[in-house]
């Protein structure tokens, strides 16, 4: 048989070189030193300094203005001198409390402009300083500024009219200011003393638009006795699935106007509180309007209120089916369709709800925080190396009488993929069994044979490169694929063999199980995942629960506690390291999951994305407990340690979260360096369809994590296999250094954050008899109570098994004895798989306790 002519396709090599040149040409050249205005504005220290400066300036302006109102005429000569006198002489003669500077500033604002109305300007400056320094508004800054500026001009106009009318220009010019006086001179020339009507109309015009007034309410004695011409408006509400004013609800209530008045409070007596989730009616008061009732497209006259008497009680008719209203009412009463405000009007008036407004100035991290590694770290595979490997593969297969039709190569960052097309009649299993022989001939660290390649009709042989490429985190963050990703939780995992950047959506995985031997890149992979999320999500959209039994891997993320981290209310640190606190946190997440499912049920939504879209469209009422819910990602760095110390207490909540938490936005990322069956149990593994494996030590471990071999043939240092949707993809994990993580966390932590970390629901362990303490009756103690107490104190071991063995009792009775010993204060509460603490060490103290008990 003639030897086949094998050719190597160099298209991928040329594309790689061209792509490198384009990236080098397109990469912006950073100057040696740059000053970013966004960084300065995001620095909390700058905000605090500027805020305190504005507050001091406001106090100074107020003192200067008040002093000028009384001492202004005495300082006129100094101001009019125009600086002809020395500063020392001017300061000695000036009577203003803030000296020459105070006199000049007050002269401009008070005498030339607003008069006494200028006293509102220091309040505006003070509120702006409070917002910068304290991080919150004492009063709505924008709305208060509008009101005070109008008040300054209008008061100046009114006092100018009074000064001009009374002829007290000599003494009153300080109080009215130049604006008020000059405008009144013009108005008097045009309208005479009728200009007061223009001044009054300006006040009316401002009140109408500022308070959104649409109608005037007349006094009751002008509306006629016994006739109701106005109706109090219902409180504006959100559209809710169980809202009593929702037009979609099948219940329609037809009653008298008195009942409407009782159920719908007046706007003047109602106070709108602005909750955390920014209710849309908190900023703009709604004017009182008459509820619109329509009958067959016409608007009937309002019913006349009849005097109440004891013989005519008020009756409310409730009709369950609106379609039957006309038939039931008959000719006596037409059917009314309540025409409530459309929710589209709410969005048009107030816009969509924006959860990021709590931190409006938050800046996403910039790529300058990442290290820019030189591009000469690209994988260098020469033509000679490709030809040599091709020849060795051909010779090895020919020795076993296996012919090939064609062979091509694709150079990746870590390995080169050789795709061969076998000759007709060659069994695939025969080539796959030659894995070790091919590795021997290539003198490679380890090769991986993919037979066949999914959807390509070829057999792949992955051969490690002698000179591998380091994939930097900066290069993948700057890629268009990551920057333009619209995924809910975008995570960049690395580069494939074909040099394509792989970006996945953690929300669709929906959970990720990671494994790998020590030192193979597992911790770097977790840092890459967390960095990807921080670079794409706002703190209002994402919360992280970090579990680090090693206590050193995830501590760098402590700086972003008030931005991205979530913890128990009573926890001292956001990074969870203690096993007992891990158990409480996992159970707390289960409570959070149940609470979220209840909200989704009430809202009529199937998943978190639908719920948040409905909330941002202002169709859910915050007064009923609805709120914008962020995604929660639970990251566990070492599952093996938790399974060793807590066992079932950790396995059960993890399995429950993995089974149910996908729909409500809680996603798990669990990593371990020991992928054995007693760590990755069947209950956990069944609910993690996405698995990621770095290099492991044996094929058994590879099959445990991936359900397939190959992970033992990886070359380490971030080389990994991703099993997703039954496909296995080989990737090179990006490299992110500790210094880069520190810079990113410092950039985020220095910005204004929430007052505290996101609080998870409280969880008090229901084990150990804390909730059963009330059911323990020490008056009816077990006959073996005293003996069991002496046994526990003597051995200093509070365990049920000890009482079972020594007193030869059954498990249930021994358990009741432990509960009674805890209620009596002999042993401590339940602590998982560990024995209870014995609270009494001295037998004499125990005897005294037993005597007191009876």
């Amino acid at each position: 048989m003639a030897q086949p002519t094998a050719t190597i396709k160099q298209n991928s090599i040329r594309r790689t070189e061209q792509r490198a040149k384009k990236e080098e040409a397109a990469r912006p050249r950073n100057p040696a030193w740059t000053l970013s205005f966004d960084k300065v504005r995001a620095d909390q220290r700058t905000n605090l300094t500027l805020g305190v400066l504005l507050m001091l300036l406001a106090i100074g302006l107020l003192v200067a203005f008040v002093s000028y109102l009384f001492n202004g005429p005495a300082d006129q000569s100094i101001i009019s001198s125009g600086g002809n006198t020395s500063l020392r002489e001017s300061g000695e003669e000036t009577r203003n409390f803030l000296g020459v500077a105070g006199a000049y500033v007050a002269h401009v604002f008070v005498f030339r402009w607003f008069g006494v109305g200028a006293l509102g300007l220091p309040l505006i400056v003070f509120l702006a300083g409070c917002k910068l320094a304290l991080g919150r508004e004492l009063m709505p800054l924008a709305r208060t500024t509008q009101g005070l500026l109008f008040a300054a001009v209008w008061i100046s106009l009114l006092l100018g009219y009074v000064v001009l009318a009374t002829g007290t220009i000599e003494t009153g010019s300080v109080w009215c200011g130049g604006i008020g006086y000059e405008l009144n001179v013009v108005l008097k020339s045009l309208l005479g003393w009728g200009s007061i009507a223009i001044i009054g109309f300006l006040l009316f015009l401002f009140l109408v638009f500022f308070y959104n007034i649409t109608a005037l309410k007349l006094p009751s004695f002008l509306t006629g006795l016994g006739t109701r011409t106005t109706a109090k408006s219902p409180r504006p509400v959100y559209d809710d699935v169980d809202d009593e004013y929702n037009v979609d609800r099948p219940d329609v209530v037809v009653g008298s106007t008195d009942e409407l008045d009782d159920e719908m409070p007046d706007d003047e007596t109602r106070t709108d509180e602005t909750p955390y989730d920014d209710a849309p009616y908190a900023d703009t008061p709604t004017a009182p309007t008459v509820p619109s009732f329509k009958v067959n497209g016409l608007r009937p006259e309002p019913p006349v209120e009849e005097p109440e008497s004891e013989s005519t009680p008020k009756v409310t008719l409730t009709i369950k089916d609106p379609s039957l209203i006309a038939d039931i009412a008959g000719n006596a009463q037409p059917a009314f369709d309540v025409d409530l405000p459309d929710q589209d009007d709410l969005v048009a008036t107030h816009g969509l709800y924006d959860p990021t407004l709590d931190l409006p100035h938050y800046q996403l991290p910039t790529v300058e925080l990442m290290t820019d590694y030189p591009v000469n770290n690209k994988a260098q595979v020469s033509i000679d190396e490709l030809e040599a490997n091709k020849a060795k593969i051909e010779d090895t297969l020919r020795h076993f009488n296996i012919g090939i039709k064609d062979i091509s190569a694709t150079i990746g960052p870590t390995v080169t993929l050789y795709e061969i097309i076998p000759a007709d009649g060659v069994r695939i299993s025969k080539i796959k069994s030659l894995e070790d022989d091919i590795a021997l001939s290539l003198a490679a660290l380890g090769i991986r044979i993919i037979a066949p390649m999914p959807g390509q009709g070829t057999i792949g042989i992955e051969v490690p490169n002698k000179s591998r490429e380091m994939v930097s985190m900066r290069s993948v963050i700057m890629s268009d694929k990551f920057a333009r990703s619209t995924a809910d939780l975008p995570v960049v995992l690395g580069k494939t063999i074909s040099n394509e950047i792989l970006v996945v959506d953690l929300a669709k995985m929906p959970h990720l199980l990671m494994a790998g031997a020590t030192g193979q890149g597992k911790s770097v992979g977790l840092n890459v995942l967390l960095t990807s999320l921080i670079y794409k999500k706002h703190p209002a959209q994402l919360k992280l629960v970090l579990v680090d039994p090693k206590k050193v891997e995830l501590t760098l993320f402590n700086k972003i506690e008030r931005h991205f981290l979530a913890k128990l209310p009573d926890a001292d640190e956001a990074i969870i390291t203690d096993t007992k606190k891990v158990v409480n946190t996992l159970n707390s997440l289960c409570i959070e999951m149940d609470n979220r499912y209840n909200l989704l049920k009430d809202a009529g939504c199937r998943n978190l994305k639908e719920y948040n879209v409905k909330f941002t469209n202002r169709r859910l009422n915050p007064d009923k407990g609805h709120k914008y819910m962020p995604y929660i990602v639970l990251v566990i760095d070492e599952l093996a340690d938790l399974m060793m110390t807590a066992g079932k207490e950790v396995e059960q909540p993890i399995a429950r979260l993995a089974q149910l938490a996908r729909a409500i936005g809680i996603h798990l990322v669990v990593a371990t360096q020991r992928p054995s069956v007693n760590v990755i149990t069947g209950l956990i593994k069944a609910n993690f369809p996405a698995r990621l494996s770095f290099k492991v030590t044996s094929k058994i471990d590879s099959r445990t994590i991936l359900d397939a071999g190959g992970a033992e043939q990886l070359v380490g240092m971030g080389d990994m296999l991703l099993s997703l949707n039954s496909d296995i993809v080989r990737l090179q994990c990006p490299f992110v250094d500790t210094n880069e993580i520190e810079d990113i966390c410092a950039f985020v932590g220095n910005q204004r954050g929430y007052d505290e970390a996101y609080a998870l629901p409280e969880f008090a362990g229901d084990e150990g008899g804390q909730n059963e303490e009330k059911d323990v009756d020490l008056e009816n103690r077990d006959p073996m109570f005293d003996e069991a107490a002496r046994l526990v104190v003597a051995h200093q071991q509070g365990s049920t098994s000890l009482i079972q063995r020594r007193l030869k009792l059954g498990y249930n009775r021994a358990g009741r004895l432990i509960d009674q010993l805890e209620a009596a204060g002999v042993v401590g509460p339940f602590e998982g798989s560990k024995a209870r603490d014995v609270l009494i060490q001295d037998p004499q103290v125990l005897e005294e306790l037993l005597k007191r008990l009876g």
Side-chain angles (χ1 to χ4, degrees):
M1 184 177 67
Q3 180 180 357
T5 60
T7 61
I8 300 179
K9 300 177 183 178
Q10 298 297 329
N11 294 335
S12 59
I13 301 177
R14 298 191 191 96
R15 287 197 298 268
T16 302
E17 294 176 352
Q18 293 174 359
R19 188 182 299 111
K21 293 180 181 178
K22 291 181 180 179
E23 290 178 357
E24 176 65 19
R27 181 173 292 110
R29 302 298 180 182
N30 295 330
W33 183 86
T34 58
L35 179 62
S36 175
F37 176 74
D38 293 336
K39 291 183 179 180
V40 174
R41 187 180 62 177
D43 193 346
Q44 186 63 28
R45 297 170 296 182
T46 304
N47 295 335
L48 177 61
T49 304
L50 183 59
V52 173
L53 178 61
L54 289 178
M55 294 166 68
L56 293 176
L57 179 61
I59 297 174
L61 289 176
L62 181 62
V63 173
F65 291 172
V66 174
S67 177
Y68 188 84
L69 292 176
F70 298 98
N71 302 320
D75 294 336
Q76 288 293 334
S77 60
I78 300 173
I79 297 172
S80 60
S81 64
N84 294 327
T85 59
S86 64
L87 181 62
R88 181 176 181 181
E89 294 177 359
S90 300
E92 292 176 352
E93 296 178 6
T94 302
R95 294 187 180 182
N96 195 289
F97 293 158
L98 290 187
V100 178
Y104 273 99
V105 173
H107 178 75
V108 173
F109 283 96
V110 179
F111 182 79
R112 293 187 177 275
W113 290 356
F114 303 113
V116 72
L119 294 177
L121 301 181
L123 179 58
I124 298 175
V125 179
F126 186 82
L127 291 177
C130 289
K131 183 177 181 179
L132 287 174
L134 304 180
R136 63 175 184 271
E137 296 180 350
L138 300 181
M139 298 173 63
L141 181 59
R143 192 170 178 82
T144 304
T145 302
Q146 297 172 4
L148 290 177
L149 290 178
F150 175 82
V153 176
W154 189 83
I155 291 175
S156 178
L157 280 174
L158 181 63
L159 293 179
Y161 180 87
V162 174
V163 169
L164 197 62
T166 57
T168 58
I169 182 60
E170 297 295 334
T171 60
S173 59
V174 176
W175 297 88
C176 68
I179 292 178
Y181 181 78
E182 297 297 336
L183 289 178
N184 273 281
V185 171
V186 176
L187 290 176
K188 183 181 178 182
S189 301
L190 293 174
L191 302 174
W193 298 115
S195 59
I196 188 65
I198 299 297
I199 298 175
F201 179 75
L202 288 176
L203 177 62
F204 172 77
L205 188 67
F206 173 78
L207 293 177
V208 167
F209 284 93
F210 191 73
Y211 291 104
N212 196 21
I213 299 174
T214 58
L216 296 178
K217 296 180 65 175
L218 297 177
S220 59
F221 65 87
L222 296 178
T223 60
L225 298 177
T227 303
R228 300 289 296 273
T229 60
T230 61
K232 298 176 181 179
S233 67
R235 176 180 179 179
V237 295
Y238 286 83
D239 184 11
D240 202 315
V241 292
D242 56 353
D243 197 314
E244 60 181 339
Y245 301 117
N246 192 340
V247 295
D248 296 332
R249 182 171 175 173
D251 296 347
V252 177
V253 179
V254 181
S256 66
T257 56
D258 287 339
E259 294 169 339
L260 289 174
D261 292 343
D262 294 337
E263 296 176 359
M264 304 175 185
D266 196 349
D267 288 338
E268 297 177 357
T269 60
R270 175 176 56 83
T271 59
D272 288 341
E273 298 180 357
T274 303
Y276 169 80
D277 38 25
D278 191 19
Y281 285 89
D283 294 333
T284 305
T286 302
T289 57
V290 180
S292 175
F293 298 95
K294 296 180 181 179
V295 181
N296 299 328
L298 302 177
R299 190 183 305 277
E301 295 294 328
V304 179
E305 181 181 2
E306 296 294 336
E308 296 182 11
S309 63
E310 297 180 357
S311 60
T312 58
K314 293 185 293 184
V315 178
T316 300
L317 173 63
T318 302
I319 303 173
K320 295 296 183 182
D321 190 352
S323 63
L324 301 177
I325 293 180
D327 296 335
I328 297 176
N331 297 325
Q333 182 68 33
F336 290 129
D337 293 330
V338 182
D339 186 12
L340 292 177
D342 191 359
Q343 299 305 317
D344 294 337
D345 296 337
L346 297 179
V347 176
T349 303
H350 306 282
L352 296 175
Y353 171 74
D354 187 1
T356 64
L357 289 180
D358 291 327
L359 299 178
H361 302 298
Y362 176 80
Q363 300 291 327
L364 294 174
T366 60
V367 293
E368 285 76 13
L369 300 172
M370 312 294 293
T371 304
D372 187 9
Y373 293 98
V375 294
N376 56 7
N377 286 328
K378 293 286 184 180
Q380 301 294 331
V381 180
S382 63
I383 300 297
D384 295 337
E385 182 179 347
L386 293 175
E387 290 288 351
N389 289 339
K390 176 203 62 130
K392 292 177 182 179
I393 293 174
E394 288 180 349
D395 291 341
T396 303
L397 296 178
R398 188 174 61 254
H399 291 161
F400 293 93
N401 298 324
I402 298 176
I404 59 177
K405 295 181 178 179
D406 191 16
I407 182 171
S408 61
T410 303
I411 301 175
T414 305
V415 298
T416 298
L417 174 64
Y418 296 88
E419 297 183 57
I420 62 174
I421 300 177
D424 297 337
V426 176
R427 291 186 178 183
I428 295 178
S429 59
K430 190 174 182 181
I431 299 178
K432 199 169 184 179
S433 63
L434 299 177
E435 188 174 64
D436 294 336
D437 298 282
I438 298 175
L440 178 63
S441 64
L442 295 174
L445 295 176
I447 68 170
R448 176 171 169 263
I449 294 181
I450 310 171
M453 293 286 292
Q456 297 187 20
T458 59
I459 296 176
I461 302 177
E462 296 175 349
V463 180
N465 297 330
K466 294 181 179 179
S467 175
R468 61 189 301 172
E469 172 190 350
M470 186 190 71
V471 179
S472 65
M473 190 66 187
R474 179 184 176 119
S475 64
V476 295
I477 289 292
M478 293 177 61
S479 65
D480 291 340
K481 194 167 187 179
F482 180 75
R484 297 179 182 178
S485 175
T486 58
D488 295 324
L489 294 175
V491 174
V492 56
L493 293 181
K495 281 188 176 181
T496 64
I497 291 179
S498 57
N499 286 287
E500 294 181 0
I501 296 176
L502 180 64
V503 179
V504 297
D505 188 358
L506 182 61
K508 294 182 179 179
M509 280 187 169
H511 312 293
L512 179 62
L513 188 60
M514 300 176 63
T518 303
Q520 302 304 319
K522 187 174 71 285
S523 296
V524 175
L526 288 177
N527 289 335
V528 168
L529 183 143
L530 294 174
T531 302
S532 302
L533 296 175
I534 293 174
Y535 260 89
K536 289 289 286 186
K537 307 303 290 185
H538 189 276
Q541 302 168 335
L542 172 68
K543 300 300 174 184
L544 303 173
V545 180
L546 304 183
V547 177
D548 183 16
K550 299 179 183 177
K551 302 181 181 181
V552 294
E553 295 293 346
L554 301 177
T555 53
L556 297 176
F557 294 93
N558 263 325
K559 296 179 182 179
I560 62 173
E561 175 180 343
R562 295 187 299 111
H563 297 81
F564 285 101
L565 300 190
K567 66 178 183 179
L568 293 174
D570 58 344
D572 297 330
E573 297 180 355
I575 309 296
I576 307 162
T577 57
D578 184 40
T579 304
K580 184 177 180 181
K581 293 181 180 179
V582 172
V583 175
N584 292 340
T585 302
L586 293 176
N587 286 282
S588 176
L589 282 174
C590 291
I591 298 175
E592 175 76 10
M593 176 182 68
D594 295 335
N595 294 339
R596 290 191 171 198
Y597 267 118
N598 291 332
L599 291 177
L600 261 64
K601 176 184 175 183
D602 295 339
C605 301
R606 297 195 307 170
N607 54 57
L608 183 71
K609 190 172 183 179
E610 293 180 6
Y611 177 91
N612 283 338
V613 169
K614 198 169 186 179
F615 187 86
T616 54
N617 284 282
R618 301 188 183 275
R619 302 189 65 86
L620 297 175
N621 192 350
D623 293 337
K624 298 184 180 296
H626 293 290
K627 59 183 179 180
Y628 184 89
M629 293 187 291
Y631 285 93
I632 298 178
V633 177
L634 169 64
V635 178
I636 300 177
D637 186 29
E638 185 50 66
L639 180 64
D641 182 74
L642 298 180
M643 295 294 292
M644 180 184 298
T645 55
K648 293 293 183 182
E649 298 176 70
V650 171
E651 179 185 7
Q652 292 178 357
I654 288 178
R656 188 164 183 261
L657 289 171
Q659 290 168 354
L660 302 175
R662 171 183 182 177
I664 44 82
I666 299 179
H667 304 278
L668 281 63
V669 179
V670 179
T672 180
Q673 64 182 4
R674 196 176 68 195
S676 56
V677 292
N678 58 343
V679 174
I680 305 177
T681 63
L683 192 61
I684 294 177
K685 184 178 176 180
N687 296 288
F688 283 82
R691 287 86 173 273
L692 189 64
S693 178
F694 294 87
K695 180 178 176 61
V696 294
T697 56
S698 66
K699 185 176 293 187
I700 296 176
D701 291 343
S702 177
R703 292 188 178 276
T704 302
I705 183 67
L706 297 176
D707 292 332
E712 75 281 0
Q713 300 291 349
L714 299 177
V715 295
M717 297 181 64
D719 190 19
M720 59 186 181
L721 293 176
L722 173 66
S723 174
L724 186 63
N725 299 326
S726 301
D727 295 332
I728 296 181
V729 182
R730 190 164 187 173
L731 300 168
Q732 174 61 42
C733 180
F735 175 73
V736 56
D737 199 4
T738 303
N739 297 331
E740 300 175 71
I741 299 294
E742 289 178 348
D743 293 342
I744 295 171
C745 293
F747 178 85
V748 175
N750 289 335
Q751 301 186 54
R752 177 193 167 193
Y754 298 101
D755 294 336
E756 56 185 8
Y758 184 83
L760 298 175
E762 292 187 5
F763 174 77
D766 55 357
E767 304 286 349
Q770 289 185 359
N771 296 334
E772 301 174 0
E773 185 176 351
K774 297 179 180 178
D775 299 332
V776 178
D777 185 9
L778 293 179
E779 297 296 330
N780 297 321
R781 299 188 302 277
D782 191 280
M784 303 289 291
F785 177 82
D786 293 354
E787 189 173 352
R790 295 187 182 98
L791 177 65
V792 168
V793 172
H795 290 80
Q796 287 295 301
Q797 180 182 356
S799 65
T800 305
S801 59
L802 175 66
I803 298 176
Q804 284 183 267
R805 294 194 309 271
R806 293 303 181 93
L807 301 182
K808 299 180 180 179
L809 301 176
Y811 177 79
N812 293 334
R813 187 177 180 183
R816 287 193 296 270
L817 279 170
I818 283 291
D819 293 338
Q820 293 175 3
L821 291 174
E822 180 187 355
V826 178
V827 297
F830 180 79
E831 296 184 0
S833 59
K834 298 189 299 183
R836 297 172 183 253
D837 294 333
V838 180
L839 305 179
I840 298 178
Q841 285 77 28
D842 190 354
Q844 186 63 33
V845 176
L846 174 64
E847 295 300 330
E848 295 177 357
L849 175 63
L850 296 177
K851 289 181 180 179
R852 288 197 303 270
L853 292 176

